Amino acid sequence: MRIPAHSVCTAIRDDIVTGIFECGSRLTEEQLARRYGVSRVPVREALRTLESEGFVITRRHAGAQVAEPTEQEAADLLDVRSLLEPLGAARAAQRRTEAHLKVLRGLVRLGQDRARRGQGEDLRSLDGWFHETLAQASGSPALTALLTQLRHKIAWMYAVELPAQPVEAWAEHGAIVDAVARGDAERARALTVMHAERSLELHRLKRPGRPERGRVRVSQHVVNTVSGRN
């Protein structure tokens, strides 16, 4: 059975984001094919996709390697997100479905419960699902894809601390959902702007250790042959 390139792409991207492949690490087709148990064809396609996304660069005579973004490039990502997330929330207020609202409200309830209990690791996952669902509620596949790619790249470049007052952070999420439910695009946009601004102070730029550049740490990553993520 031929392994889809998007599954290999997801596996490589995840290993880049989590630091398994560090910035500057070489990525050979043979190495990656062996690692994920696939042929070199989907690896080659995946590397082309990851290069277009900015995770990989190809140098003449050196081949593919993990990109090494500058601090300015990292800062630009947060600026772009601060523009696109409010737009997504405003569009969600105009285009959301009842199914989107049901999921968003459920995530807010879970987030508020976990925040009160101090279950930080659950909050990280729930926050990601919340923003992903809000983007999907925008009804714009192009905007959703851009926001998804931004989240991947921000997770790659930044360590994000939990808010000191997680209950308040999830109250902000709840207010955004209320505005979306009422169809109030301007309020949804304004609340998302404030939420994004407050989250900036939680981002800390990652600084990979230079001595270990080029090393590939052991991962239990298994290529998903079913998922449609890319």
Side-chain angles (χ1 to χ4, degrees):
M1 180 179 69
R2 184 176 182 273
I3 306 300
H6 62 70
S7 295
V8 180
C9 183
T10 296
I12 300 172
R13 186 195 297 111
D14 286 351
D15 279 346
I16 290 174
V17 169
T18 57
I20 299 299
F21 294 124
E22 296 185 346
C23 292
S25 299
R26 286 195 64 205
L27 300 170
T28 68
E29 292 179 9
E30 181 180 0
Q31 165 205 32
L32 296 173
R34 184 169 58 251
R35 179 180 181 80
Y36 303 114
V38 298
S39 72
R40 294 174 63 168
V41 173
V43 167
R44 190 174 305 124
E45 295 177 25
L47 288 176
R48 283 198 292 265
T49 297
L50 291 169
E51 184 170 18
S52 71
E53 293 179 355
F55 289 99
V56 170
I57 59 173
T58 302
R59 298 189 186 281
R60 191 175 184 182
H61 305 308
Q65 66 184 65
V66 180
E68 299 182 84
T70 66
E71 291 189 17
Q72 184 60 62
E73 288 170 333
D76 287 346
L77 288 178
L78 296 180
D79 287 342
V80 173
R81 189 190 67 173
S82 71
L83 295 172
L84 292 185
E85 279 195 340
L87 173 62
R91 290 283 175 83
Q94 299 166 332
R95 302 176 179 177
R96 89 296 185 279
T97 65
E98 288 302 315
H100 289 132
L101 285 178
K102 182 177 180 179
V103 174
L104 287 167
R105 285 170 170 155
L107 289 169
V108 168
R109 284 194 299 271
L110 282 173
Q112 291 173 336
D113 176 70
R114 299 301 190 272
R116 286 191 294 268
R117 295 169 181 264
Q119 296 175 325
E121 288 310 307
D122 284 353
L123 290 177
R124 292 184 190 278
S125 298
L126 289 170
D127 184 75
W129 292 339
F130 175 85
H131 286 286
E132 183 173 342
T133 304
L134 187 62
Q136 291 170 352
S138 72
S140 171
L143 181 56
T144 301
L146 284 171
L147 286 168
T148 297
Q149 189 178 133
L150 275 172
R151 281 194 297 275
H152 286 314
K153 297 186 81 170
I154 289 170
W156 174 37
M157 298 183 195
Y158 288 92
V160 183
E161 301 172 359
L162 289 172
Q165 302 294 332
V167 173
E168 293 181 8
W170 278 92
E172 292 174 6
H173 285 156
I176 292 169
V177 174
D178 288 342
V180 168
R182 291 196 303 270
D184 191 338
E186 286 311 307
R187 181 161 175 77
R189 182 195 300 270
L191 289 170
T192 305
V193 167
M194 290 189 293
H195 181 69
E197 288 177 349
R198 287 172 183 163
S199 75
L200 288 177
E201 64 184 27
L202 303 176
H203 289 71
R204 300 287 180 267
L205 193 63
K206 292 179 182 176
R207 298 182 182 279
R210 297 298 181 183
E212 294 204 352
R213 178 180 296 173
R215 288 183 55 194
V216 177
R217 297 197 296 275
V218 176
S219 166
Q220 299 301 315
H221 205 119
V222 177
V223 170
N224 182 349
T225 61
V226 177
S227 171
R229 288 174 53 201
N230 185 27

